[in-house]
């Protein structure tokens, strides 16, 4: 066959794009209809509810308290419950849920063969990462919201008070308490989105969602162990998990913000690195 | 195997149009893809004329899917270049792909969503589909592939053929300039296969270029205007179906119960042929039909029927890919 010239129709000179809002809507609908996302929210809901139940039982027993300080300060202090719930879900449960979501977002779609469909549409490789990041961020936000809102509700319901005593012993109003919970929720969201951003990068490297989950959880556990070794204190500033205990700081009066700010900056660095790596990887990923 | 004449007529028409305005919907040159030590595709120079239905033929592992994936920008070639609708790939993917519908390596959908919801998700990502047109486009695509009745059922519960149909529906959501189908009849029943052919004929009729891969030769022969045959990653033949068929020698099919005698006779006379259970197909290179029949009858072969045929694509394919099948030459 002889070489013929390829026609270049004018239609192809512009680049049509599906509206970003429509893509985000479709992504959110998909993520929120997925049974495992809903199951994860269900499991998360058990944390504040369980804590509330425990608290009301301790109330009746009126025994001298032993155990973690967060739990101890729960007694008769309804607004601490959402903070305790977030503190408890943060080391393992929440990272697991956001890693799972990030794993499904790219590796999962790739293994289902659906990523191919999005790339052929075409959705645009960078936009794909944006859409995926927004989807994971939304799930993270909803997960934190479940903890915070159910925590507040359970706290008020089980203690019957809306009063709020800070760790420093001063008393705060209900609205101030809500504000503190809000700050804590935003901070937890940022930390968890940092986990998600790294998980997304891993997700773009493999076709197996379970690998993402395993590597991410393994990394966090190693971080926690390293964080506990005093001799390695020079390493601590780069570990994402450093400062994850500082959620307690929001209920000091006045609020102690140094550790919160420092860990937020660290989380932002992880987010930038994670998302950049994801975009770079997706630009050339085979599908 | 029968040889229908319609595709040949269509080829003629396309061929004429091509001479007037030579235009290609897709072109690859020196295309090569290496995975580790496996050379999946090597030196493939493919030309897909606009408006053609190109059958990409080849046995398993011959590089059909890999070629298609490079055409669509899903994989970067190790060497060589791809132009899709006049745009270099994969860099021009955002410009070319909105006009391209594809079903590659089987359908990919989410099991927990219904067929319609899955399609809506695909439709949301289609750049050329206006938001208000999504519902209609999805329903029409479902009807077109005969899935209207199962639209609300979960994809999880779809049969293999239904999954394949949904994949086809996704490729047909928007009117396309080019539709690429990788083994579209996989898992389909005969009715489904006919429907796919009908869809391809419809696309062809509306001027859409179609690239379809298959290892079922009869399929390609019945629906395509052009053929490219891949073998171990290289294109061993390509051109219009008519050209390729003419390149083959005419044959004479002799039906008989005495196949063994016929085989011996032909072999003794050094006449090339293929044998079957109740017939021999004789290549008319050295002998005329009269001579062949005379020799057979004289040898005592009970000739039930003798039919002159042109070489079908099956023989062409066999000759190109498994040359050791032939005997007697
Ligand atoms: N991702 C990959 N990694 C390694 N090898 C691959 C990969 N994809 C394809 N190959 C190899 O490239 C060759 C061509 O594969 P390809 O899938 O293109 O064949 P095909 O013609 O589509 O076959 P089939 O008819 O079975 O679908 C095969 O040898 C295959 O093993
Ligand atoms: Mg294949």
């Amino acid at each position: 066959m002889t070489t013929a010239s390829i026609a270049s129709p004018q239609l192809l000179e512009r680049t049509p794009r599906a509206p970003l809002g429509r893509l985000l809507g479709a992504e959110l609908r998909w993520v929120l209809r997925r049974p495992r996302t809903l199951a994860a929210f269900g499991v998360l809901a058990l944390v504040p509810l369980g804590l509330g139940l425990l608290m009301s039982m301790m109330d009746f027993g009126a025994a001298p308290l032993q155990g973690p300080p967060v739990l101890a300060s729960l007694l008769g202090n309804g607004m601490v419950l959402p903070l305790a719930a977030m503190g408890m879900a943060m080391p393992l449960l929440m990272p697991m849920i956001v890693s799972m979501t990030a794993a499904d977002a790219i590796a999962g779609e790739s293994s289902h063969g659906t990523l191919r469909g999005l790339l052929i549409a075409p959705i645009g490789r960078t936009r794909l990462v944006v859409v995926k990041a927004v989807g994971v961020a939304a799930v993270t936000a909803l997960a934190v919201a479940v903890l915070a809102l159910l925590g507040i509700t359970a706290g008020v319901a089980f203690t019957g008070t809306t009063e709020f005593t800070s760790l420093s012993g001063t008393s705060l109003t209900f609205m101030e308490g809500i504000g503190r919970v809000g700050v804590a929720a935003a901070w937890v969201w940022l930390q968890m989105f940092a986990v998600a951003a790294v998980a997304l990068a891993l997700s773009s490297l493999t076709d197996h969602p379970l690998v993402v989950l395993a590597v991410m959880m393994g990394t966090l556990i190693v971080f926690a162990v390293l964080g506990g070794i005093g001799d390695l204190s020079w390493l601590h500033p780069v570990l994402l998990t450093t400062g994850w205990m500082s959620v307690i700081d929001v209920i000091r009066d006045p609020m102690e913000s140094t550790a919160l700010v420092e860990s937020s900056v660290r989380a932002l660095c992880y987010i930038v690195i994670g998302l950049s790596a994801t975009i770079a990887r997706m630009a050339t990923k085979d599908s | 195997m029968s040889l229908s004449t319609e595709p040949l007529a269509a080829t003629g028409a396309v061929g004429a149009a091509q001479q007037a305005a030579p235009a290609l919907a897709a072109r690859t040159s020196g295309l090569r893809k290496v995975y580790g030590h496996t050379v999946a595709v090597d030196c493939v120079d493919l030309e897909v004329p606009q408006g053609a239905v190109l059958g990409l033929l080849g046995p398993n592992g011959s590089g059909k899917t890999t070629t298609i994936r490079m055409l669509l920008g899903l994989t970067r070639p190790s060497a060589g270049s791809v132009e899709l609708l006049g745009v270099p790939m994969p860099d021009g993917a955002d410009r070319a792909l909105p006009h391209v519908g594809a079903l590659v390596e089987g359908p990919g959908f989410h099991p927990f969503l219904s067929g319609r919801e899955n399609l809506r998700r695909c439709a949301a990502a289609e750049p050329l589909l206006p938001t208000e047109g999504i519902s209609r486009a999805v329903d029409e695509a479902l009807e077109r592939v005969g899935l209207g009745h199962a639209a609300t059922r979960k994809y999880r519960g779809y049969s293999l053929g239904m999954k394949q149909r949904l994949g086809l529906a996704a490729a047909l959501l928007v009117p396309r300039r080019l539709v690429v189908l990788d083994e579209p009849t996989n898992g389909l029943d005969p009715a489904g296969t006919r429907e796919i052919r009908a869809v391809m004929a419809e696309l062809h009729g509306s001027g859409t270029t179609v690239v379809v891969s298959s290892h079922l030769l009869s399929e390609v022969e019945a629906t395509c205007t052009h053929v490219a045959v891949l073998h171990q990653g290289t294109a061993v033949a390509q051109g219009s179906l008519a050209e390729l068929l003419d390149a083959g020698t005419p044959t004479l099919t002799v039906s008989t119960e005495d196949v063994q005698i016929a085989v011996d006779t032909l072999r003794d006379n050094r006449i090339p042929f293929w044998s079957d259970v109740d017939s021999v197909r004789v290549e008319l290179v050295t002998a005329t039909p009269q001579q062949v029949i005379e020799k057979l009858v004289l040898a005592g072969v009970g000739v039930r029927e003798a039919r002159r045929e042109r070489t079908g694509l099956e023989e062409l394919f066999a000759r190109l890919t498994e040359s050791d099948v032939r005997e007697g030459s």
Side-chain angles (χ1 to χ4, degrees):
Chain A
M1 216 185 237
T2 55
T3 315
S5 71
I6 291 201
S8 72
Q10 302 98 338
L11 250 180
L12 288 176
E13 275 160 22
R14 63 190 187 89
T15 307
R17 290 192 182 287
L20 190 60
R22 185 168 98 190
L23 291 173
L24 291 175
E27 177 72 11
L28 291 182
R29 220 173 304 131
W30 168 69
V31 139
L32 297 178
R33 291 211 41 187
R34 199 167 38 196
R36 65 178 71 168
T37 311
L38 302 177
F41 289 158
V43 171
L44 268 182
L46 293 178
V47 175
L49 295 179
L51 272 178
L53 219 60
L54 191 72
M55 196 170 72
S56 60
M57 272 156 37
M58 292 196 304
D59 227 0
F60 288 121
L65 278 169
Q66 281 146 5
V70 181
L71 274 187
S73 69
L74 267 175
L75 194 58
N77 202 347
M79 294 309 268
V80 182
L81 200 147
L83 300 178
M86 286 188 244
M88 282 185 67
M90 232 182 130
L92 281 178
L93 193 53
M94 283 282 282
M96 223 154 102
I97 290 169
V98 300
S99 301
M100 181 190 79
T101 310
D104 282 337
I106 300 179
E109 290 242 53
S110 183
S111 66
H112 269 119
T114 43
L115 189 64
R116 216 162 35 225
L118 295 176
L119 290 177
I120 294 174
I123 183 173
R125 285 169 179 256
T126 306
R127 290 172 111 220
L128 177 75
V129 177
V130 171
V131 168
K132 290 299 176 187
V134 170
V136 177
V139 170
T140 311
L142 283 172
V144 177
V146 165
L147 291 175
L149 296 179
L150 268 183
I152 293 172
T153 314
V156 172
F158 283 110
T159 60
T161 68
T162 55
E163 80 183 41
F164 183 84
T165 317
S166 72
L167 276 190
S168 327
T170 58
S171 147
L172 298 170
T173 66
F174 181 66
M175 285 323 286
E176 274 177 317
I178 296 275
R180 297 296 176 92
V181 173
V183 169
W187 177 83
V188 171
W189 175 83
L190 194 67
Q191 299 300 320
M192 290 303 121
F193 187 54
V195 173
V198 177
L200 267 181
L202 291 173
S203 192
S204 67
L205 286 171
T206 172
D207 288 348
H208 308 284
L210 274 181
V211 170
V212 177
L213 196 61
V215 171
M216 206 58 225
M217 296 318 289
T219 307
L220 287 179
I221 289 168
V222 168
F223 275 19
V225 170
L226 293 178
I229 301 175
D231 286 346
L232 295 177
S233 57
W234 51 271
L235 191 63
H236 294 176
V238 299
L239 301 180
L240 181 63
T241 47
T242 306
W244 272 13
M245 287 300 135
S246 50
V247 66
I248 276 286
D249 289 352
V250 301
I251 49 167
R252 294 185 205 280
D253 197 26
M255 195 159 77
E256 180 118 353
S257 61
T258 326
L260 289 173
V261 170
E262 194 182 294
S263 50
S264 297
V265 170
R266 191 160 32 234
L268 280 173
C269 293
Y270 271 86
I271 291 170
V272 169
I273 293 169
L275 293 184
S276 318
T278 314
I279 289 173
R281 171 65 189 143
M282 281 310 296
T284 56
K285 186 181 165 83
D286 277 10
S287 183
Chain B
M1 193 175 68
S2 70
L3 196 56
S4 130
T5 50
E6 288 121 29
L8 300 181
T11 309
V14 169
Q18 224 175 291
Q19 271 152 23
L24 296 175
R27 169 164 69 192
T28 73
S29 59
L31 201 60
R32 177 180 168 89
K33 181 71 187 183
V34 185
Y35 291 108
H37 295 293
T38 317
V39 180
V41 168
D42 198 11
C43 296
V44 170
D45 300 305
L46 205 62
E47 295 194 336
V48 188
Q50 255 177 39
V53 179
L54 177 97
L56 204 52
L57 265 179
N60 291 142
S62 55
K64 304 182 293 291
T65 304
T66 307
T67 304
I68 287 177
R69 279 152 48 91
M70 287 190 282
L71 268 184
L72 297 172
L74 290 173
T75 299
R76 260 169 208 276
S78 309
S81 64
V82 178
E83 272 178 68
L84 192 65
L85 300 175
V87 178
M89 293 292 281
D91 301 328
D94 286 354
R95 268 185 297 158
L97 289 180
H99 305 276
V100 179
L103 167 62
V104 191
E105 275 194 306
F109 293 103
H110 292 289
F112 63 92
L113 294 177
S114 71
R116 178 180 282 123
E117 289 160 341
N118 264 305
L119 271 197
R120 290 188 69 98
R121 185 159 189 261
C122 300
E126 283 295 346
L128 294 181
L129 210 51
T131 305
E132 59 280 2
I134 286 183
S135 273
R136 240 190 75 200
V138 165
D139 288 340
E140 279 175 5
L142 284 167
E143 286 301 328
R144 195 161 171 193
V145 299
L147 275 182
H149 65 285
T152 54
R153 278 169 54 188
K154 292 256 184 293
Y155 180 70
R156 193 197 311 281
Y158 275 21
S159 71
L160 185 59
M162 291 163 79
K163 289 176 176 172
Q164 193 74 8
R165 285 162 190 255
L166 194 63
L168 183 65
L172 301 178
L173 275 171
V174 189
R176 311 283 193 181
R177 285 158 174 258
L178 173 67
V179 171
V180 181
L181 305 172
D182 188 16
E183 312 215 4
T185 53
N186 229 348
L188 288 184
D189 52 21
T193 306
R194 272 198 303 279
E195 285 169 43
I196 293 258
R197 279 186 203 166
V199 167
M200 280 167 50
E202 215 177 293
L203 289 170
H204 180 52
S206 64
T208 305
T209 310
V210 180
V211 173
V212 55
S213 85
S214 178
H215 52 260
L216 290 179
L217 306 149
S218 50
E219 201 153 86
V220 164
E221 190 179 54
T223 48
C224 295
T225 61
H226 289 67
V227 176
V229 183
L230 290 182
H231 179 49
Q232 291 178 356
T234 50
V236 288
Q238 77 168 297
S240 79
L241 190 67
E243 273 170 36
L244 286 178
L245 288 174
D246 283 345
T249 23
T251 61
L252 185 73
T253 303
V254 179
S255 309
T256 173
E257 260 135 40
D258 314 316
V259 173
Q260 197 48 52
I261 310 175
V263 165
D264 294 340
T265 312
L266 291 168
R267 201 171 274 148
D268 291 345
N269 287 288
R270 307 191 64 77
I271 299 173
F273 68 95
W274 291 274
S275 63
D276 209 337
V277 241
D278 59 352
S279 68
V280 284
R281 183 174 284 201
V282 185
E283 261 192 50
L284 299 173
V285 246
T286 51
T288 63
Q290 290 91 327
Q291 290 169 329
V292 171
I293 292 171
E294 192 186 322
K295 289 214 163 76
L296 289 176
V297 170
L298 283 179
V301 176
V303 175
R304 202 187 310 135
E305 189 192 3
R307 212 167 351 116
R308 215 190 123 139
E309 281 175 291
R310 283 209 286 175
T311 319
L313 207 54
E314 194 166 351
E315 282 77 11
L316 174 73
F317 186 65
R319 212 169 33 241
L320 290 169
T321 58
E322 9 175 354
S323 43
D324 47 350
V325 164
R326 208 161 73 141
E327 319 173 45
S329 43

